[in-house]
PDB file of all heavy atoms in Angstrom:
ATOM      1  N   THR A   1       0.820  -1.212   0.000  1.00  0.00           N
ATOM      2  CA  THR A   1       0.000   0.000   0.000  1.00  0.00           C
ATOM      3  C   THR A   1       0.851   1.258   0.000  1.00  0.00           C
ATOM      4  O   THR A   1       0.380   2.325  -0.357  1.00  0.00           O
ATOM      5  CB  THR A   1      -0.942   0.020   1.214  1.00  0.00           C
ATOM      6  OG1 THR A   1      -0.160   0.027   2.403  1.00  0.00           O
ATOM      7  CG2 THR A   1      -1.863  -1.153   1.191  1.00  0.00           C
ATOM      8  N   GLU A   2       2.088   1.137   0.388  1.00  0.00           N
ATOM      9  CA  GLU A   2       2.968   2.301   0.406  1.00  0.00           C
ATOM     10  C   GLU A   2       3.625   2.556  -0.954  1.00  0.00           C
ATOM     11  O   GLU A   2       4.266   3.583  -1.165  1.00  0.00           O
ATOM     12  CB  GLU A   2       4.028   2.115   1.490  1.00  0.00           C
ATOM     13  CG  GLU A   2       3.427   2.017   2.898  1.00  0.00           C
ATOM     14  CD  GLU A   2       4.471   1.621   3.924  1.00  0.00           C
ATOM     15  OE1 GLU A   2       5.652   1.464   3.532  1.00  0.00           O
ATOM     16  OE2 GLU A   2       4.116   1.472   5.101  1.00  0.00           O
ATOM     17  N   VAL A   3       3.482   1.592  -1.874  1.00  0.00           N
ATOM     18  CA  VAL A   3       4.078   1.774  -3.200  1.00  0.00           C
ATOM     19  C   VAL A   3       3.232   2.770  -3.981  1.00  0.00           C
ATOM     20  O   VAL A   3       2.014   2.625  -4.084  1.00  0.00           O
ATOM     21  CB  VAL A   3       4.153   0.431  -3.943  1.00  0.00           C
ATOM     22  CG1 VAL A   3       4.724   0.629  -5.333  1.00  0.00           C
ATOM     23  CG2 VAL A   3       4.999  -0.545  -3.132  1.00  0.00           C
ATOM     24  N   PRO A   4       3.833   3.822  -4.582  1.00  0.00           N
ATOM     25  CA  PRO A   4       3.068   4.911  -5.200  1.00  0.00           C
ATOM     26  C   PRO A   4       2.147   4.480  -6.334  1.00  0.00           C
ATOM     27  O   PRO A   4       1.123   5.119  -6.557  1.00  0.00           O
ATOM     28  CB  PRO A   4       4.156   5.852  -5.717  1.00  0.00           C
ATOM     29  CG  PRO A   4       5.354   5.541  -4.883  1.00  0.00           C
ATOM     30  CD  PRO A   4       5.262   4.093  -4.554  1.00  0.00           C
ATOM     31  N   ASN A   5       2.473   3.386  -7.046  1.00  0.00           N
ATOM     32  CA  ASN A   5       1.652   3.066  -8.214  1.00  0.00           C
ATOM     33  C   ASN A   5       0.350   2.353  -7.875  1.00  0.00           C
ATOM     34  O   ASN A   5      -0.418   2.011  -8.761  1.00  0.00           O
ATOM     35  CB  ASN A   5       2.449   2.230  -9.226  1.00  0.00           C
ATOM     36  CG  ASN A   5       2.862   0.887  -8.642  1.00  0.00           C
ATOM     37  OD1 ASN A   5       2.529   0.576  -7.523  1.00  0.00           O
ATOM     38  ND2 ASN A   5       3.618   0.110  -9.415  1.00  0.00           N
ATOM     39  N   ILE A   6       0.057   2.081  -6.573  1.00  0.00           N
ATOM     40  CA  ILE A   6      -1.242   1.509  -6.201  1.00  0.00           C
ATOM     41  C   ILE A   6      -2.234   2.653  -6.070  1.00  0.00           C
ATOM     42  O   ILE A   6      -1.987   3.611  -5.322  1.00  0.00           O
ATOM     43  CB  ILE A   6      -1.154   0.705  -4.895  1.00  0.00           C
ATOM     44  CG1 ILE A   6      -0.324  -0.566  -5.142  1.00  0.00           C
ATOM     45  CG2 ILE A   6      -2.526   0.356  -4.375  1.00  0.00           C
ATOM     46  CD1 ILE A   6      -0.219  -1.460  -3.960  1.00  0.00           C
ATOM     47  N   PRO A   7      -3.332   2.578  -6.774  1.00  0.00           N
ATOM     48  CA  PRO A   7      -4.279   3.703  -6.748  1.00  0.00           C
ATOM     49  C   PRO A   7      -4.940   3.844  -5.388  1.00  0.00           C
ATOM     50  O   PRO A   7      -5.127   2.883  -4.663  1.00  0.00           O
ATOM     51  CB  PRO A   7      -5.297   3.336  -7.829  1.00  0.00           C
ATOM     52  CG  PRO A   7      -5.222   1.855  -7.919  1.00  0.00           C
ATOM     53  CD  PRO A   7      -3.788   1.482  -7.645  1.00  0.00           C
ATOM     54  N   VAL A   8      -5.315   5.052  -5.059  1.00  0.00           N
ATOM     55  CA  VAL A   8      -6.050   5.334  -3.824  1.00  0.00           C
ATOM     56  C   VAL A   8      -7.520   5.420  -4.157  1.00  0.00           C
ATOM     57  O   VAL A   8      -7.925   6.127  -5.091  1.00  0.00           O
ATOM     58  CB  VAL A   8      -5.557   6.635  -3.176  1.00  0.00           C
ATOM     59  CG1 VAL A   8      -6.392   6.981  -1.957  1.00  0.00           C
ATOM     60  CG2 VAL A   8      -4.089   6.505  -2.807  1.00  0.00           C
ATOM     61  N   GLY A   9      -8.318   4.705  -3.438  1.00  0.00           N
ATOM     62  CA  GLY A   9      -9.727   4.623  -3.777  1.00  0.00           C
ATOM     63  C   GLY A   9     -10.520   5.852  -3.410  1.00  0.00           C
ATOM     64  O   GLY A   9     -11.682   5.973  -3.751  1.00  0.00           O
ATOM     65  N   GLY A  10      -9.962   6.745  -2.657  1.00  0.00           N
ATOM     66  CA  GLY A  10     -10.686   7.948  -2.307  1.00  0.00           C
ATOM     67  C   GLY A  10     -10.994   8.034  -0.829  1.00  0.00           C
ATOM     68  O   GLY A  10     -10.734   7.119  -0.057  1.00  0.00           O
ATOM     69  N   GLU A  11     -11.554   9.123  -0.430  1.00  0.00           N
ATOM     70  CA  GLU A  11     -11.847   9.393   0.967  1.00  0.00           C
ATOM     71  C   GLU A  11     -13.347   9.527   1.148  1.00  0.00           C
ATOM     72  O   GLU A  11     -14.016  10.238   0.396  1.00  0.00           O
ATOM     73  CB  GLU A  11     -11.155  10.688   1.394  1.00  0.00           C
ATOM     74  CG  GLU A  11     -11.362  11.033   2.854  1.00  0.00           C
ATOM     75  CD  GLU A  11     -10.547  12.248   3.272  1.00  0.00           C
ATOM     76  OE1 GLU A  11      -9.362  12.317   2.890  1.00  0.00           O
ATOM     77  OE2 GLU A  11     -11.117  13.121   3.957  1.00  0.00           O
ATOM     78  N   LEU A  12     -13.893   8.831   2.158  1.00  0.00           N
ATOM     79  CA  LEU A  12     -15.320   8.903   2.474  1.00  0.00           C
ATOM     80  C   LEU A  12     -15.483   9.677   3.766  1.00  0.00           C
ATOM     81  O   LEU A  12     -14.830   9.375   4.770  1.00  0.00           O
ATOM     82  CB  LEU A  12     -15.934   7.516   2.616  1.00  0.00           C
ATOM     83  CG  LEU A  12     -16.223   6.760   1.311  1.00  0.00           C
ATOM     84  CD1 LEU A  12     -14.955   6.110   0.783  1.00  0.00           C
ATOM     85  CD2 LEU A  12     -17.299   5.710   1.527  1.00  0.00           C
ATOM     86  N   THR A  13     -16.393  10.641   3.727  1.00  0.00           N
ATOM     87  CA  THR A  13     -16.615  11.480   4.915  1.00  0.00           C
ATOM     88  C   THR A  13     -18.072  11.521   5.343  1.00  0.00           C
ATOM     89  O   THR A  13     -18.381  12.013   6.420  1.00  0.00           O
ATOM     90  CB  THR A  13     -16.145  12.916   4.650  1.00  0.00           C
ATOM     91  OG1 THR A  13     -16.859  13.437   3.521  1.00  0.00           O
ATOM     92  CG2 THR A  13     -14.649  12.956   4.373  1.00  0.00           C
ATOM     93  N   GLY A  14     -18.985  11.009   4.495  1.00  0.00           N
ATOM     94  CA  GLY A  14     -20.404  11.068   4.831  1.00  0.00           C
ATOM     95  C   GLY A  14     -21.027   9.686   4.904  1.00  0.00           C
ATOM     96  O   GLY A  14     -20.377   8.660   4.683  1.00  0.00           O
ATOM     97  N   ASP A  15     -22.316   9.659   5.233  1.00  0.00           N
ATOM     98  CA  ASP A  15     -23.030   8.392   5.339  1.00  0.00           C
ATOM     99  C   ASP A  15     -23.159   7.736   3.964  1.00  0.00           C
ATOM    100  O   ASP A  15     -23.091   8.385   2.924  1.00  0.00           O
ATOM    101  CB  ASP A  15     -24.417   8.621   5.928  1.00  0.00           C
ATOM    102  CG  ASP A  15     -24.351   9.057   7.390  1.00  0.00           C
ATOM    103  OD1 ASP A  15     -23.251   9.002   7.974  1.00  0.00           O
ATOM    104  OD2 ASP A  15     -25.398   9.466   7.934  1.00  0.00           O
ATOM    105  N   ILE A  16     -23.364   6.397   4.005  1.00  0.00           N
ATOM    106  CA  ILE A  16     -23.486   5.611   2.781  1.00  0.00           C
ATOM    107  C   ILE A  16     -24.907   5.077   2.697  1.00  0.00           C
ATOM    108  O   ILE A  16     -25.369   4.375   3.609  1.00  0.00           O
ATOM    109  CB  ILE A  16     -22.475   4.460   2.758  1.00  0.00           C
ATOM    110  CG1 ILE A  16     -21.047   5.009   2.834  1.00  0.00           C
ATOM    111  CG2 ILE A  16     -22.653   3.603   1.516  1.00  0.00           C
ATOM    112  CD1 ILE A  16     -19.987   3.951   3.017  1.00  0.00           C
ATOM    113  N   SER A  17     -25.610   5.359   1.616  1.00  0.00           N
ATOM    114  CA  SER A  17     -26.990   4.911   1.461  1.00  0.00           C
ATOM    115  C   SER A  17     -27.208   4.170   0.139  1.00  0.00           C
ATOM    116  O   SER A  17     -28.345   4.016  -0.305  1.00  0.00           O
ATOM    117  CB  SER A  17     -27.946   6.103   1.566  1.00  0.00           C
ATOM    118  OG  SER A  17     -27.616   7.084   0.604  1.00  0.00           O
ATOM    119  N   GLU A  18     -26.137   3.728  -0.494  1.00  0.00           N
ATOM    120  CA  GLU A  18     -26.259   2.910  -1.695  1.00  0.00           C
ATOM    121  C   GLU A  18     -25.167   1.843  -1.660  1.00  0.00           C
ATOM    122  O   GLU A  18     -24.129   2.003  -1.002  1.00  0.00           O
ATOM    123  CB  GLU A  18     -26.133   3.753  -2.954  1.00  0.00           C
ATOM    124  CG  GLU A  18     -24.819   4.503  -3.077  1.00  0.00           C
ATOM    125  CD  GLU A  18     -24.765   5.376  -4.316  1.00  0.00           C
ATOM    126  OE1 GLU A  18     -25.835   5.751  -4.824  1.00  0.00           O
ATOM    127  OE2 GLU A  18     -23.655   5.677  -4.760  1.00  0.00           O
ATOM    128  N   ASP A  19     -25.401   0.736  -2.347  1.00  0.00           N
ATOM    129  CA  ASP A  19     -24.453  -0.375  -2.332  1.00  0.00           C
ATOM    130  C   ASP A  19     -23.094   0.082  -2.851  1.00  0.00           C
ATOM    131  O   ASP A  19     -23.008   0.854  -3.823  1.00  0.00           O
ATOM    132  CB  ASP A  19     -24.959  -1.522  -3.191  1.00  0.00           C
ATOM    133  CG  ASP A  19     -26.234  -2.152  -2.630  1.00  0.00           C
ATOM    134  OD1 ASP A  19     -26.636  -1.754  -1.517  1.00  0.00           O
ATOM    135  OD2 ASP A  19     -26.803  -3.038  -3.294  1.00  0.00           O
ATOM    136  N   MET A  20     -22.032  -0.393  -2.195  1.00  0.00           N
ATOM    137  CA  MET A  20     -20.676  -0.052  -2.622  1.00  0.00           C
ATOM    138  C   MET A  20     -19.796  -1.291  -2.537  1.00  0.00           C
ATOM    139  O   MET A  20     -19.994  -2.148  -1.670  1.00  0.00           O
ATOM    140  CB  MET A  20     -20.073   1.059  -1.762  1.00  0.00           C
ATOM    141  CG  MET A  20     -20.756   2.414  -1.885  1.00  0.00           C
ATOM    142  SD  MET A  20     -19.885   3.710  -0.945  1.00  0.00           S
ATOM    143  CE  MET A  20     -18.337   3.804  -1.859  1.00  0.00           C
ATOM    144  N   THR A  21     -18.807  -1.357  -3.437  1.00  0.00           N
ATOM    145  CA  THR A  21     -17.812  -2.421  -3.416  1.00  0.00           C
ATOM    146  C   THR A  21     -16.430  -1.795  -3.329  1.00  0.00           C
ATOM    147  O   THR A  21     -16.100  -0.874  -4.082  1.00  0.00           O
ATOM    148  CB  THR A  21     -17.918  -3.295  -4.672  1.00  0.00           C
ATOM    149  OG1 THR A  21     -19.207  -3.906  -4.707  1.00  0.00           O
ATOM    150  CG2 THR A  21     -16.839  -4.377  -4.664  1.00  0.00           C
ATOM    151  N   PHE A  22     -15.629  -2.318  -2.387  1.00  0.00           N
ATOM    152  CA  PHE A  22     -14.274  -1.819  -2.192  1.00  0.00           C
ATOM    153  C   PHE A  22     -13.321  -2.840  -2.792  1.00  0.00           C
ATOM    154  O   PHE A  22     -13.320  -4.013  -2.408  1.00  0.00           O
ATOM    155  CB  PHE A  22     -14.019  -1.563  -0.708  1.00  0.00           C
ATOM    156  CG  PHE A  22     -14.944  -0.523  -0.146  1.00  0.00           C
ATOM    157  CD1 PHE A  22     -16.206  -0.867   0.335  1.00  0.00           C
ATOM    158  CD2 PHE A  22     -14.580   0.809  -0.153  1.00  0.00           C
ATOM    159  CE1 PHE A  22     -17.066   0.087   0.818  1.00  0.00           C
ATOM    160  CE2 PHE A  22     -15.443   1.785   0.352  1.00  0.00           C
ATOM    161  CZ  PHE A  22     -16.697   1.429   0.823  1.00  0.00           C
ATOM    162  N   LYS A  23     -12.499  -2.391  -3.734  1.00  0.00           N
ATOM    163  CA  LYS A  23     -11.802  -3.273  -4.646  1.00  0.00           C
ATOM    164  C   LYS A  23     -10.488  -3.823  -4.090  1.00  0.00           C
ATOM    165  O   LYS A  23      -9.833  -3.210  -3.245  1.00  0.00           O
ATOM    166  CB  LYS A  23     -11.510  -2.519  -5.952  1.00  0.00           C
ATOM    167  CG  LYS A  23     -12.754  -2.061  -6.708  1.00  0.00           C
ATOM    168  CD  LYS A  23     -13.557  -3.253  -7.202  1.00  0.00           C
ATOM    169  CE  LYS A  23     -14.741  -2.831  -8.056  1.00  0.00           C
ATOM    170  NZ  LYS A  23     -15.485  -3.985  -8.592  1.00  0.00           N
ATOM    171  N   THR A  24     -10.122  -4.956  -4.622  1.00  0.00           N
ATOM    172  CA  THR A  24      -8.848  -5.598  -4.291  1.00  0.00           C
ATOM    173  C   THR A  24      -7.685  -4.674  -4.581  1.00  0.00           C
ATOM    174  O   THR A  24      -7.619  -4.034  -5.637  1.00  0.00           O
ATOM    175  CB  THR A  24      -8.702  -6.895  -5.105  1.00  0.00           C
ATOM    176  OG1 THR A  24      -9.758  -7.782  -4.783  1.00  0.00           O
ATOM    177  CG2 THR A  24      -7.359  -7.569  -4.819  1.00  0.00           C
ATOM    178  N   GLY A  25      -6.746  -4.581  -3.608  1.00  0.00           N
ATOM    179  CA  GLY A  25      -5.528  -3.831  -3.809  1.00  0.00           C
ATOM    180  C   GLY A  25      -5.668  -2.340  -3.725  1.00  0.00           C
ATOM    181  O   GLY A  25      -4.708  -1.606  -4.005  1.00  0.00           O
ATOM    182  N   ILE A  26      -6.829  -1.840  -3.374  1.00  0.00           N
ATOM    183  CA  ILE A  26      -7.060  -0.399  -3.308  1.00  0.00           C
ATOM    184  C   ILE A  26      -7.227   0.025  -1.847  1.00  0.00           C
ATOM    185  O   ILE A  26      -7.904  -0.644  -1.067  1.00  0.00           O
ATOM    186  CB  ILE A  26      -8.278   0.014  -4.147  1.00  0.00           C
ATOM    187  CG1 ILE A  26      -8.024  -0.336  -5.622  1.00  0.00           C
ATOM    188  CG2 ILE A  26      -8.570   1.495  -3.991  1.00  0.00           C
ATOM    189  CD1 ILE A  26      -9.135   0.039  -6.546  1.00  0.00           C
ATOM    190  N   SER A  27      -6.613   1.147  -1.517  1.00  0.00           N
ATOM    191  CA  SER A  27      -6.675   1.677  -0.161  1.00  0.00           C
ATOM    192  C   SER A  27      -7.669   2.839  -0.100  1.00  0.00           C
ATOM    193  O   SER A  27      -7.640   3.722  -0.958  1.00  0.00           O
ATOM    194  CB  SER A  27      -5.284   2.154   0.261  1.00  0.00           C
ATOM    195  OG  SER A  27      -5.318   2.714   1.553  1.00  0.00           O
ATOM    196  N   TYR A  28      -8.520   2.829   0.920  1.00  0.00           N
ATOM    197  CA  TYR A  28      -9.558   3.848   1.088  1.00  0.00           C
ATOM    198  C   TYR A  28      -9.373   4.532   2.442  1.00  0.00           C
ATOM    199  O   TYR A  28      -8.922   3.915   3.409  1.00  0.00           O
ATOM    200  CB  TYR A  28     -10.952   3.223   1.015  1.00  0.00           C
ATOM    201  CG  TYR A  28     -11.239   2.494  -0.283  1.00  0.00           C
ATOM    202  CD1 TYR A  28     -10.820   1.180  -0.464  1.00  0.00           C
ATOM    203  CD2 TYR A  28     -11.928   3.115  -1.307  1.00  0.00           C
ATOM    204  CE1 TYR A  28     -11.079   0.499  -1.643  1.00  0.00           C
ATOM    205  CE2 TYR A  28     -12.201   2.449  -2.499  1.00  0.00           C
ATOM    206  CZ  TYR A  28     -11.773   1.143  -2.665  1.00  0.00           C
ATOM    207  OH  TYR A  28     -12.023   0.474  -3.849  1.00  0.00           O
ATOM    208  N   ILE A  29      -9.776   5.790   2.515  1.00  0.00           N
ATOM    209  CA  ILE A  29      -9.736   6.548   3.764  1.00  0.00           C
ATOM    210  C   ILE A  29     -11.169   6.810   4.221  1.00  0.00           C
ATOM    211  O   ILE A  29     -11.991   7.337   3.466  1.00  0.00           O
ATOM    212  CB  ILE A  29      -9.009   7.889   3.581  1.00  0.00           C
ATOM    213  CG1 ILE A  29      -7.572   7.670   3.121  1.00  0.00           C
ATOM    214  CG2 ILE A  29      -9.041   8.688   4.894  1.00  0.00           C
ATOM    215  CD1 ILE A  29      -6.698   6.997   4.152  1.00  0.00           C
ATOM    216  N   PHE A  30     -11.470   6.429   5.476  1.00  0.00           N
ATOM    217  CA  PHE A  30     -12.758   6.762   6.087  1.00  0.00           C
ATOM    218  C   PHE A  30     -12.491   7.824   7.150  1.00  0.00           C
ATOM    219  O   PHE A  30     -11.696   7.598   8.071  1.00  0.00           O
ATOM    220  CB  PHE A  30     -13.397   5.531   6.726  1.00  0.00           C
ATOM    221  CG  PHE A  30     -14.093   4.610   5.762  1.00  0.00           C
ATOM    222  CD1 PHE A  30     -13.685   4.507   4.442  1.00  0.00           C
ATOM    223  CD2 PHE A  30     -15.165   3.839   6.183  1.00  0.00           C
ATOM    224  CE1 PHE A  30     -14.320   3.651   3.552  1.00  0.00           C
ATOM    225  CE2 PHE A  30     -15.810   2.986   5.308  1.00  0.00           C
ATOM    226  CZ  PHE A  30     -15.394   2.887   3.983  1.00  0.00           C
ATOM    227  N   ASP A  31     -13.185   8.938   7.020  1.00  0.00           N
ATOM    228  CA  ASP A  31     -12.938  10.079   7.902  1.00  0.00           C
ATOM    229  C   ASP A  31     -14.234  10.455   8.614  1.00  0.00           C
ATOM    230  O   ASP A  31     -15.205  10.866   7.988  1.00  0.00           O
ATOM    231  CB  ASP A  31     -12.418  11.261   7.079  1.00  0.00           C
ATOM    232  CG  ASP A  31     -12.064  12.460   7.954  1.00  0.00           C
ATOM    233  OD1 ASP A  31     -11.948  12.280   9.182  1.00  0.00           O
ATOM    234  OD2 ASP A  31     -11.923  13.563   7.404  1.00  0.00           O
ATOM    235  N   GLY A  32     -14.278  10.287   9.906  1.00  0.00           N
ATOM    236  CA  GLY A  32     -15.458  10.632  10.691  1.00  0.00           C
ATOM    237  C   GLY A  32     -16.328   9.418  10.967  1.00  0.00           C
ATOM    238  O   GLY A  32     -15.944   8.269  10.762  1.00  0.00           O
ATOM    239  N   THR A  33     -17.538   9.671  11.449  1.00  0.00           N
ATOM    240  CA  THR A  33     -18.514   8.609  11.715  1.00  0.00           C
ATOM    241  C   THR A  33     -19.266   8.322  10.418  1.00  0.00           C
ATOM    242  O   THR A  33     -20.083   9.138   9.978  1.00  0.00           O
ATOM    243  CB  THR A  33     -19.486   9.023  12.831  1.00  0.00           C
ATOM    244  OG1 THR A  33     -18.742   9.259  14.025  1.00  0.00           O
ATOM    245  CG2 THR A  33     -20.505   7.934  13.086  1.00  0.00           C
ATOM    246  N   ILE A  34     -19.003   7.183   9.829  1.00  0.00           N
ATOM    247  CA  ILE A  34     -19.630   6.799   8.558  1.00  0.00           C
ATOM    248  C   ILE A  34     -20.752   5.820   8.879  1.00  0.00           C
ATOM    249  O   ILE A  34     -20.506   4.729   9.411  1.00  0.00           O
ATOM    250  CB  ILE A  34     -18.626   6.151   7.603  1.00  0.00           C
ATOM    251  CG1 ILE A  34     -17.367   7.021   7.455  1.00  0.00           C
ATOM    252  CG2 ILE A  34     -19.275   5.863   6.260  1.00  0.00           C
ATOM    253  CD1 ILE A  34     -17.608   8.376   6.869  1.00  0.00           C
ATOM    254  N   ARG A  35     -21.983   6.178   8.556  1.00  0.00           N
ATOM    255  CA  ARG A  35     -23.134   5.314   8.855  1.00  0.00           C
ATOM    256  C   ARG A  35     -23.701   4.760   7.562  1.00  0.00           C
ATOM    257  O   ARG A  35     -23.956   5.503   6.613  1.00  0.00           O
ATOM    258  CB  ARG A  35     -24.195   6.092   9.627  1.00  0.00           C
ATOM    259  CG  ARG A  35     -23.749   6.331  11.073  1.00  0.00           C
ATOM    260  CD  ARG A  35     -24.677   7.172  11.886  1.00  0.00           C
ATOM    261  NE  ARG A  35     -24.213   7.229  13.273  1.00  0.00           N
ATOM    262  CZ  ARG A  35     -24.514   8.178  14.135  1.00  0.00           C
ATOM    263  NH1 ARG A  35     -25.304   9.182  13.761  1.00  0.00           N
ATOM    264  NH2 ARG A  35     -24.046   8.156  15.362  1.00  0.00           N
ATOM    265  N   VAL A  36     -23.907   3.438   7.581  1.00  0.00           N
ATOM    266  CA  VAL A  36     -24.440   2.743   6.410  1.00  0.00           C
ATOM    267  C   VAL A  36     -25.917   2.497   6.648  1.00  0.00           C
ATOM    268  O   VAL A  36     -26.299   1.847   7.634  1.00  0.00           O
ATOM    269  CB  VAL A  36     -23.703   1.416   6.170  1.00  0.00           C
ATOM    270  CG1 VAL A  36     -24.221   0.739   4.905  1.00  0.00           C
ATOM    271  CG2 VAL A  36     -22.201   1.637   6.108  1.00  0.00           C
ATOM    272  N   ARG A  37     -26.755   2.995   5.739  1.00  0.00           N
ATOM    273  CA  ARG A  37     -28.197   2.850   5.903  1.00  0.00           C
ATOM    274  C   ARG A  37     -28.796   2.342   4.602  1.00  0.00           C
ATOM    275  O   ARG A  37     -28.548   2.870   3.518  1.00  0.00           O
ATOM    276  CB  ARG A  37     -28.825   4.178   6.315  1.00  0.00           C
ATOM    277  CG  ARG A  37     -28.538   5.343   5.360  1.00  0.00           C
ATOM    278  CD  ARG A  37     -29.095   6.654   5.887  1.00  0.00           C
ATOM    279  NE  ARG A  37     -28.376   7.073   7.075  1.00  0.00           N
ATOM    280  CZ  ARG A  37     -28.748   8.115   7.811  1.00  0.00           C
ATOM    281  NH1 ARG A  37     -29.824   8.811   7.511  1.00  0.00           N
ATOM    282  NH2 ARG A  37     -28.044   8.459   8.875  1.00  0.00           N
ATOM    283  N   ASN A  38     -29.569   1.253   4.716  1.00  0.00           N
ATOM    284  CA  ASN A  38     -30.292   0.699   3.563  1.00  0.00           C
ATOM    285  C   ASN A  38     -29.351   0.428   2.393  1.00  0.00           C
ATOM    286  O   ASN A  38     -29.643   0.745   1.240  1.00  0.00           O
ATOM    287  CB  ASN A  38     -31.415   1.641   3.136  1.00  0.00           C
ATOM    288  CG  ASN A  38     -32.354   1.969   4.287  1.00  0.00           C
ATOM    289  OD1 ASN A  38     -32.634   1.121   5.130  1.00  0.00           O
ATOM    290  ND2 ASN A  38     -32.821   3.201   4.346  1.00  0.00           N
TER     291      ASN A  38
END
């Protein structure tokens, strides 16, 4: 994950209300209280 050529999946800061898939080999940042609803 520290190697620069691995893509960063992005940063999530709000609640999640739709289906999501987090991909193999990708690093994501969760910032704050993330609530998953429906």
